Amino acid sequence: MLRAFGQYRAATRFPIVPALAVTLAIGLISSSPVRAQSLATQILESPAYPVRYSDDTLANGLRVLVVESHFAPVISADLFVRAGMRDQFPRPGIAHLLEHLTGDTLPDYPRRAGVAFNAMTGPQTTVYFFTAPSANFEPALYYLAAILRPPLLDSARLSREKRVVIAEGGQRASNRAYGMSESCLGQLYWNAQSNCTGPDDWDRVTLAMGAEDLTDFFHSRYRPNDATLVVVGDVAAADALAQISRYFGDIPRAPARSLFRSQTASPAAKRMVLTDTLAPASRLDIAYATVAGGSSEYAALSVLATILGRGESSLLKRRLVDERQLVTHIEVAGVDLDGSSDPVPLIITAVVKPGVDPETAEKAIGEEMARLAMNPVPHADIERAKSMLAREFLAVTRGGGSRGLAYSLGFYTTVNRNPELINSWLHAVDAVTQNDLSTIIARLFNSPPRVVVTTLPPARDSAGVRRRP
């Protein structure tokens, strides 16, 4: 499976708030009138805050975080390994292929243990996770520990998983509208390359991968001292740590490796024009380099992105869809909290209205950015954005059950190297001021975007019938 985001601690028996209480808190926030500076009183002081967790490191370097929740006899665990899609050069797809091959040396074990296992490969990490009855926690750990042990790579299994990975790649990129646009945007943003590769290139590289390539990648990435295990659920922290030590403790640590660094682009934007036979309309994907994910300025960036292009009343929708009628849809997003040392992309995606030249729409977006830099952001837009971010963050981290909390805490710990973001993030959002936004807008839009990808639909004949290029 492939996937398209301090020191407040306690050692034992601090239950998280049940999902019902979190749902009630979200409902109260949604239905109450929004007041100035209301986040701190309505959310940050709610019983859903803060998350209390233990934080320990085994002798081999594996970082272990445990959150106790005795509301239901269920446990979720997420194992984060620093082996993502950005680590794959010069073999695109190897991280995803290895995800399919690791841990499967016990093919019938998940069924015997009654445990639901799965995995996903992201930009920076591969995550292996399970949710299980608390009675099955220990046998599930036995299976999860196999992830950090060298996989068995027999030729039949390797060939089978190559075909699966190739099929998933096709579904992602070539079998849906704008799939290649999104892939190219990421490739051009994070690397120094000026062209992007596509499914044919990925298939060729995947088919050529041998067991030696995968073994080398495994030993360079799958190491306990570069991994994080998060456990959330019905278990005492001390008991969980003892059981984790039993199954993970004998896996040897490895020499530290250098962290990924994105390769900065030239001052001029990288540009690419694609023709997509599945695209119903032209589309612009524009990526600006911003600030490091998880940094002190990231909260202001998140508020800005929400103001610009999230929700029906977003600034860019009002200006470019409703008033100027140049695009039919526009939104602003980031790839994720993409690392404590990397400049996170702010991505503007706009579907161009039929009959409008994409260059005209791109120019209009630039005009709106310049206009925003000249005028303070209205306080009403700031408060709307803060409330939206607060509700969503609480829903994901507190209302998503043990699985949602395990993933969020693991992501902050592994990618941002700061698990306390689970508790401090909304404080940072609540503290964002009009001056903070003016500062980051000036920094963001005084330089050109890093990448612009224009996607065109196939040409039409005189009868209006779409033709393949």
Side-chain angles (χ1 to χ4, degrees), residues 19-63:
L20 180 60
V22 175
T23 303
L24 178 60
I26 296 170
L28 290 173
I29 295 162
S30 301
S31 60
S32 299
V34 176
R35 303 184 306 273
Q37 302 300 319
S38 62
L39 289 179
T41 56
Q42 293 190 55
I43 298 178
L44 300 176
E45 296 180 2
S46 76
Y49 250 79
V51 171
R52 296 170 170 90
Y53 55 88
S54 63
D55 187 352
D56 298 276
T57 302
L58 302 187
N60 61 7
L62 178 68
R63 191 168 183 179

Coordinates of all heavy atoms in Angstrom, one line a residue, residues 19-63:
A19 N -13.1 8.2 22.6 CA -13.5 8.9 21.4 C -14.8 9.6 21.5 O -15.0 10.6 20.9 CB -13.6 7.8 20.3
L20 N -15.7 9.1 22.4 CA -17.0 9.7 22.6 C -16.8 11.1 23.2 O -17.5 12.1 22.7 CB -17.9 8.9 23.5 CG -19.3 9.4 23.8 CD1 -20.1 9.6 22.5 CD2 -20.0 8.5 24.8
A21 N -15.9 11.3 24.1 CA -15.7 12.6 24.7 C -15.1 13.5 23.7 O -15.4 14.7 23.6 CB -14.8 12.5 25.9
V22 N -14.2 13.0 22.8 CA -13.6 13.9 21.8 C -14.6 14.3 20.8 O -14.7 15.5 20.4 CB -12.4 13.1 21.1 CG1 -11.9 13.9 20.0 CG2 -11.3 12.8 22.1
T23 N -15.5 13.4 20.4 CA -16.6 13.7 19.5 C -17.5 14.8 20.1 O -17.9 15.7 19.4 CB -17.4 12.5 19.2 OG1 -16.6 11.5 18.6 CG2 -18.5 12.8 18.1
L24 N -17.8 14.7 21.4 CA -18.6 15.7 22.0 C -17.9 17.1 22.0 O -18.5 18.1 21.7 CB -18.9 15.3 23.5 CG -19.7 16.3 24.3 CD1 -21.1 16.5 23.7 CD2 -19.9 15.8 25.7
A25 N -16.6 17.0 22.3 CA -15.8 18.3 22.3 C -15.8 18.9 20.9 O -16.0 20.1 20.8 CB -14.3 18.0 22.7
I26 N -15.6 18.1 19.9 CA -15.7 18.7 18.5 C -17.0 19.2 18.2 O -17.2 20.3 17.6 CB -15.3 17.6 17.5 CG1 -13.9 17.1 17.7 CG2 -15.5 18.1 16.1 CD1 -13.5 15.8 16.9
G27 N -18.1 18.6 18.7 CA -19.4 19.1 18.4 C -19.7 20.4 19.1 O -20.3 21.3 18.5
L28 N -19.2 20.5 20.3 CA -19.4 21.8 21.1 C -18.6 22.9 20.4 O -19.1 24.0 20.3 CB -18.8 21.6 22.5 CG -19.7 20.7 23.4 CD1 -19.0 20.5 24.7 CD2 -21.1 21.3 23.6
I29 N -17.4 22.6 19.9 CA -16.6 23.6 19.2 C -17.3 24.1 17.9 O -17.4 25.2 17.6 CB -15.2 23.1 18.9 CG1 -14.5 22.8 20.2 CG2 -14.4 24.1 18.1 CD1 -13.3 21.9 20.0
S30 N -17.8 23.1 17.2 CA -18.5 23.4 15.9 C -19.7 24.2 16.1 O -20.1 25.1 15.3 CB -18.8 22.1 15.2 OG -17.7 21.3 15.0
S31 N -20.5 24.0 17.2 CA -21.8 24.6 17.4 C -21.7 25.9 18.2 O -22.6 26.7 18.1 CB -22.8 23.7 18.1 OG -22.2 23.3 19.3
S32 N -20.6 26.2 18.9 CA -20.5 27.4 19.7 C -20.0 28.5 18.8 O -19.3 28.4 17.8 CB -19.4 27.2 20.8 OG -19.8 26.1 21.6
P33 N -20.5 29.7 19.1 CA -20.0 30.9 18.4 C -18.5 31.1 18.5 O -17.9 30.9 19.6 CB -20.7 32.1 19.0 CG -21.9 31.4 19.8 CD -21.4 30.1 20.2
V34 N -17.8 31.4 17.4 CA -16.4 31.6 17.5 C -16.0 33.0 18.0 O -16.5 34.0 17.5 CB -15.8 31.4 16.0 CG1 -14.3 31.7 16.1 CG2 -16.0 30.0 15.5
R35 N -15.2 33.0 19.1 CA -14.8 34.2 19.7 C -13.4 34.5 19.5 O -12.6 33.5 19.3 CB -15.1 34.2 21.2 CG -16.6 33.9 21.6 CD -16.8 34.0 23.1 NE -15.9 33.1 23.8 CZ -16.1 31.9 24.1 NH1 -17.2 31.3 23.6 NH2 -15.2 31.2 24.7
A36 N -12.9 35.7 19.6 CA -11.5 36.0 19.5 C -10.8 35.2 20.6 O -11.2 35.2 21.7 CB -11.3 37.5 19.6
Q37 N -9.6 34.7 20.2 CA -8.8 33.9 21.1 C -9.6 32.8 21.8 O -9.4 32.5 22.9 CB -8.2 34.8 22.2 CG -7.3 36.0 21.6 CD -6.2 35.5 20.8 OE1 -5.5 34.5 21.1 NE2 -5.9 36.1 19.6
S38 N -10.4 32.1 21.0 CA -11.3 31.1 21.6 C -10.7 29.7 21.6 O -11.2 28.8 22.3 CB -12.6 31.0 20.9 OG -12.4 30.7 19.5
L39 N -9.6 29.5 20.9 CA -9.1 28.2 20.8 C -8.5 27.7 22.1 O -8.8 26.6 22.5 CB -7.9 28.2 19.8 CG -8.3 28.3 18.3 CD1 -7.1 28.2 17.4 CD2 -9.2 27.1 17.9
A40 N -7.8 28.6 22.8 CA -7.2 28.2 24.1 C -8.3 27.7 25.1 O -8.1 26.8 25.8 CB -6.4 29.3 24.7
T41 N -9.4 28.4 25.1 CA -10.5 28.1 26.1 C -11.4 27.0 25.6 O -11.8 26.2 26.5 CB -11.4 29.3 26.4 OG1 -11.9 29.8 25.1 CG2 -10.5 30.4 27.0
Q42 N -11.6 26.9 24.3 CA -12.5 25.8 23.9 C -11.9 24.5 23.6 O -12.5 23.5 23.7 CB -13.2 26.3 22.6 CG -14.1 27.5 22.8 CD -15.0 27.8 21.6 OE1 -15.7 27.0 21.1 NE2 -14.9 29.0 21.1
I43 N -10.6 24.5 23.2 CA -10.0 23.2 22.9 C -8.8 22.9 23.8 O -8.7 21.9 24.4 CB -9.5 23.2 21.4 CG1 -10.7 23.4 20.5 CG2 -8.7 22.0 21.1 CD1 -10.3 23.5 19.1
L44 N -7.9 23.9 23.9 CA -6.6 23.6 24.7 C -6.9 23.3 26.1 O -6.1 22.6 26.8 CB -5.7 24.8 24.5 CG -5.3 25.1 23.1 CD1 -4.4 26.3 23.0 CD2 -4.6 23.9 22.4
E45 N -8.0 23.8 26.7 CA -8.3 23.5 28.1 C -9.4 22.4 28.2 O -9.9 22.1 29.3 CB -8.8 24.8 28.8 CG -7.7 25.8 28.9 CD -8.2 27.1 29.6 OE1 -9.3 27.1 30.0 OE2 -7.4 28.1 29.7
S46 N -9.8 21.8 27.1 CA -10.8 20.7 27.1 C -10.2 19.5 27.7 O -8.9 19.3 27.8 CB -11.3 20.4 25.7 OG -10.3 19.7 25.0
P47 N -11.0 18.5 28.2 CA -10.4 17.3 28.8 C -9.7 16.4 27.7 O -9.0 15.4 28.1 CB -11.7 16.6 29.3 CG -12.8 17.2 28.6 CD -12.4 18.6 28.3
A48 N -9.8 16.7 26.5 CA -9.1 15.9 25.4 C -7.6 16.3 25.4 O -6.9 15.6 24.7 CB -9.8 16.1 24.1
Y49 N -7.2 17.4 26.1 CA -5.9 17.8 26.1 C -5.3 17.6 27.4 O -5.9 17.8 28.4 CB -5.8 19.3 25.7 CG -5.2 19.6 24.3 CD1 -6.0 19.4 23.2 CD2 -3.9 19.9 24.2 CE1 -5.4 19.6 21.9 CE2 -3.3 20.2 23.0 CZ -4.1 20.0 21.8 OH -3.5 20.2 20.6
P50 N -4.0 17.3 27.6 CA -3.1 17.0 26.5 C -3.0 15.4 26.4 O -3.5 14.7 27.2 CB -1.7 17.5 27.0 CG -1.8 17.4 28.5 CD -3.3 17.6 28.8
V51 N -2.2 14.9 25.4 CA -1.9 13.5 25.3 C -0.7 13.3 26.2 O 0.3 13.9 26.1 CB -1.6 13.1 23.9 CG1 -1.0 11.7 23.8 CG2 -2.8 13.2 23.0
R52 N -0.8 12.3 27.1 CA 0.3 11.9 28.0 C 0.9 10.6 27.5 O 0.2 9.7 27.3 CB -0.2 11.9 29.4 CG -0.7 13.2 30.0 CD -1.4 13.0 31.3 NE -1.7 14.3 31.9 CZ -2.9 15.0 31.7 NH1 -3.8 14.5 30.9 NH2 -3.1 16.2 32.3
Y53 N 2.2 10.6 27.4 CA 2.9 9.4 26.8 C 4.2 9.2 27.5 O 4.8 10.1 28.1 CB 3.1 9.7 25.3 CG 3.9 10.9 25.0 CD1 5.3 10.9 25.0 CD2 3.2 12.1 24.7 CE1 6.0 12.1 24.7 CE2 3.9 13.3 24.5 CZ 5.3 13.3 24.4 OH 6.0 14.4 24.1
S54 N 4.6 7.9 27.5 CA 6.0 7.6 28.0 C 6.9 7.6 26.8 O 6.4 7.4 25.6 CB 6.0 6.2 28.7 OG 5.6 5.2 27.7
D55 N 8.1 7.9 27.0 CA 9.1 8.1 25.8 C 10.4 7.4 26.3 O 11.1 8.0 27.1 CB 9.3 9.5 25.5 CG 10.1 9.8 24.3 OD1 10.7 8.8 23.7 OD2 10.2 10.9 23.8
D56 N 10.7 6.3 25.7 CA 11.9 5.5 26.1 C 12.7 5.1 24.8 O 12.1 5.1 23.7 CB 11.6 4.3 26.9 CG 10.9 4.6 28.2 OD1 11.6 4.9 29.2 OD2 9.6 4.6 28.2
T57 N 13.9 4.8 25.0 CA 14.8 4.3 23.9 C 15.5 3.0 24.3 O 16.1 3.0 25.4 CB 15.8 5.4 23.5 OG1 15.1 6.6 23.1 CG2 16.6 4.9 22.3
L58 N 15.4 2.0 23.5 CA 16.0 0.7 23.8 C 17.5 0.9 23.6 O 18.0 1.8 23.0 CB 15.5 -0.4 23.0 CG 14.0 -0.7 23.0 CD1 13.7 -2.0 22.2 CD2 13.5 -0.8 24.5
A59 N 18.3 -0.1 24.1 CA 19.7 0.0 24.0 C 20.2 0.0 22.5 O 21.2 0.5 22.2 CB 20.4 -1.2 24.7
N60 N 19.4 -0.6 21.6 CA 19.7 -0.6 20.2 C 19.3 0.6 19.5 O 19.5 0.7 18.2 CB 19.2 -1.9 19.5 CG 17.7 -2.0 19.6 OD1 17.0 -1.0 20.0 ND2 17.2 -3.1 19.1
G61 N 18.7 1.6 20.2 CA 18.3 2.8 19.6 C 16.9 3.0 19.2 O 16.4 4.1 18.7
L62 N 16.1 1.9 19.3 CA 14.7 2.0 18.9 C 13.9 2.9 19.9 O 14.0 2.7 21.1 CB 14.0 0.6 18.9 CG 12.5 0.6 18.6 CD1 12.3 1.0 17.1 CD2 11.9 -0.8 18.9
R63 N 13.3 3.9 19.4 CA 12.5 4.8 20.2 C 11.1 4.3 20.4 O 10.4 3.9 19.4 CB 12.5 6.2 19.6 CG 11.9 7.3 20.6 CD 12.2 8.7 20.1 NE 11.7 9.7 21.0 CZ 11.9 11.0 20.8 NH1 12.5 11.4 19.7 NH2 11.4 11.9 21.7

